[in-house]
Amino acid sequence: MSATVLCTLDLPDPFSGIVESVARLRSLGRLPAHDELCDELRRDPVDVLCPQLRDRVDAEVLDAGLPRMRCVSVYAVGYDNVDVAAATERGIVVGNTPGVLTDATADCAMALLLAAARRIREGDEELRAGRFHGWEPTYLLGLELRDALLGIVGFGRIGQAVARRALGFGMRIAYFDSTAPPVDESLRAHVTRVGFDELVRDADVISLHVPLSQDTRHLVGEAVLRRMKRTAVLVNTSRGAVVDEAALVRALREGWIAAAGLDVYEREPELSPGLAQCSTAVLAPHLGSATVTTRAAMAELCAHNAVDALSGTVPRNCVNPQAWGERAPASLLSGG
Ligand code: DGY
């Protein structure tokens, strides 16, 4: 019985090369429905499952993978689609791909911030619709970034990478993080830690960089949107459900805030009714990590996590090493 890895969608190079050098790789080449994925795992058991962020890996999927499945290696940094507690209970380690997509995602947040604050999307629409009749002193005025206060919610790797970029635009930086993460030395003198309410009240731009969890679901809802400045811009490149999207549509329509730059949505790929019609919303289709270099680096890390697990080693990026405790399974690799 050779070690077997299953991915749902095909993953970019060098994923296959790394996995196939030690194991049999199967790819469904499509996004399976939840029940199809369970059936597939029961029919043709695997040692490692490599899902991407749209595959829901709940207790039922994990049970379908037992007794053989030892690892779920997610092709993403966010792993809110995996029931990690259930995986831990079943002795299944979960890997993800942090670090390698920090810069690409921070770039995307800045692109959305700039486009929303400087009304680039509205201008694009005006121009294409033939409504641009030449330069005017007060036409499509936006937010000046110099000295504007950027409030970053979640100050991990990506939040700090956004801070670094925003400092280059002369922005002031405040951040809120409930976990007091270590702040890079180069940033310490330039950022201020504040409470969430203060950040919401004072920020000219709010950028969200928290993982989706029970605590962060709808963190930005009607009450928060109503407390933001009417001139403020909201940027979300984290997970859609961190924002109550229906409330955001009302906020944009009724002018509680000035604009939003979004890369993620509550029910992807669907948009909440009315969002597509909001001219002050800049909408990107979950492109945060979408560069050739970054997707390849994610593929490499995802593959290494899988191979580590096959060799009986806790994956190099593992969110629940306690799933194996002292009893790592034996290596499935020849010579291992
Ligand atoms: C992630 O990795 O969590 C992003 O949302 C997609 O790259």
Side-chain angles (χ1 to χ4, degrees):
M1 181 180 73
S2 57
T4 303
V5 173
L6 173 69
C7 55
T8 52
L9 293 185
D10 291 340
L11 299 180
D13 287 338
F15 180 81
S16 316
I18 295 171
V19 171
E20 282 174 340
S21 66
V22 296
R24 182 168 79 95
L25 173 63
R26 252 171 53 223
S27 169
L28 299 181
R30 68 194 156 77
L31 200 73
H34 177 265
D35 290 353
E36 271 179 88
L37 180 56
C38 292
D39 290 345
E40 183 68 31
L41 290 168
R42 283 188 209 105
R43 196 177 55 76
D44 200 349
V46 302
D47 303 290
V48 179
L49 171 66
C50 296
Q52 45 77 60
L53 55 88
R54 293 161 67 195
D55 296 306
R56 181 161 55 90
V57 182
D58 57 12
E60 215 183 319
V61 170
L62 297 166
D63 283 339
L66 290 178
R68 189 161 156 189
M69 194 159 74
R70 58 171 65 188
C71 173
V72 173
S73 174
V74 186
Y75 182 65
V77 66
Y79 50 87
D80 47 280
N81 57 319
V82 180
D83 185 338
V84 176
T88 307
E89 268 170 33
R90 289 159 177 76
I92 296 173
V93 286
V94 178
N96 70 336
T97 65
V100 294
L101 44 69
T102 301
D103 287 324
T105 308
D107 289 349
C108 183
M110 284 308 293
L112 291 168
L113 188 165
L114 285 161
R118 295 303 307 275
R119 308 181 67 177
I120 302 297
R121 201 208 75 81
E122 288 170 87
D124 180 280
E125 191 171 277
E126 289 274 293
L127 196 59
R128 290 173 202 267
R131 289 193 297 264
F132 173 54
H133 304 300
W135 189 92
E136 287 174 29
T138 56
Y139 181 58
L140 282 184
L141 302 188
L143 174 75
E144 176 95 17
L145 295 190
R146 174 155 302 280
D147 292 330
L149 181 66
L150 171 61
I152 299 180
V153 180
F155 211 53
R157 275 179 292 257
I158 299 174
Q160 294 189 38
V162 170
R164 234 171 264 121
R165 285 157 174 74
L167 284 171
F169 286 85
M171 297 187 84
R172 294 176 294 122
I173 314 285
Y175 73 91
F176 166 77
D177 195 308
S178 56
T179 66
V183 175
D184 191 83
E185 206 179 325
S186 65
L187 283 176
R188 276 182 216 148
H190 306 286
V191 300
T192 312
R193 186 171 182 209
V194 295
F196 184 65
D197 290 344
E198 188 181 337
L199 181 146
V200 167
R201 185 192 65 205
D202 295 342
D204 298 298
V205 178
I206 294 181
S207 192
L208 304 174
H209 301 285
V210 285
L212 178 62
S213 68
Q214 276 177 358
D215 294 338
T216 61
R217 184 173 294 277
H218 284 194
L219 179 68
V220 178
E222 172 164 350
V224 166
L225 290 160
R226 283 190 185 278
R227 288 206 310 273
M228 287 170 66
K229 290 184 178 176
R230 288 180 76 84
T231 50
V233 173
L234 177 70
V235 176
N236 189 10
T237 53
S238 61
R239 282 292 183 264
V242 174
V243 175
D244 177 345
E245 212 170 273
L248 177 61
V249 171
R250 292 207 306 284
L252 292 169
R253 273 191 188 149
E254 296 170 21
W256 312 347
I257 65 171
L262 306 176
D263 188 42
V264 287
Y265 306 90
E266 211 175 333
R267 284 169 294 278
E268 283 182 30
E270 281 169 42
L271 301 185
S272 288
L275 183 57
Q277 286 71 43
C278 290
S279 60
T280 52
V282 182
L283 307 178
H286 207 146
L287 296 178
S289 64
T291 71
V292 174
T293 309
T294 291
R295 289 285 165 86
M298 290 166 64
E300 187 173 348
L301 197 41
C302 179
H304 282 306
N305 282 338
V307 173
D308 288 343
L310 293 175
S311 72
T313 308
V314 173
R316 60 198 67 189
N317 277 107
C318 181
V319 303
N320 65 340
Q322 71 278 19
W324 282 0
E326 301 301 307
R327 288 185 302 121
S331 174
L332 296 170
L333 307 184
S334 50

